[in-house]
Amino acid sequence: MAGYNNILVGLDLSEESSQVLERAAQIAADSGAQMSLAHIIEPLTFAYGGDIPMDLSEVQEQLQTQAKEQLRKAAASLNIPPERQHVVLGQPATEIHRLAEEAGCDLIVIGSHGRHGLALLLGSTANGVLHGAGCDVLAVRVQPANQ
């Protein structure tokens, strides 16, 4: 089986993200593939549906600035150039699919927390990415950072 050429790594920027990044970097090194990193921020208006009578744009901008800095640090450790670092506002699965398609990715690597029961019923980004991706998807089972 041929290796991969273009890998998109979806990161939630939690402490466990390093596990996903390490696995993706290993695959990229084995395949000689280039990697791109993506972090998707859901708009605060999605989460609160306009129920809060205040302007959340400044908070949203701060979240984006912090995410860009965290992603930049993660990318620097693997020499991933700025043009392959994406912080996007939107619905995570939809935006990951879009970025992967636009970049011609043949693999998406994401983390999976292995939730069960109600947490699984409420939705999972990993599940959303898996169903609808136009390329292979690797869901890396992450372990809690304190283990």
Side-chain angles (χ1 to χ4, degrees), residues 14 17 22 33 42 45-46 65 67 87 91 103 109 111 126:
S14 66
S17 288
E22 286 171 16
E42 288 192 78
T45 54
F46 282 12
T65 300
V87 173
Q91 197 282 328
V109 180

Side-chain angles (χ1 to χ4, degrees), residues 54-66:
M54 60 188 288
D55 182 10
L56 298 172
S57 60
E58 188 174 320
V59 175
Q60 190 79 61
E61 285 179 32
Q62 288 175 349
L63 289 173
Q64 286 179 270
T65 300
Q66 290 172 353

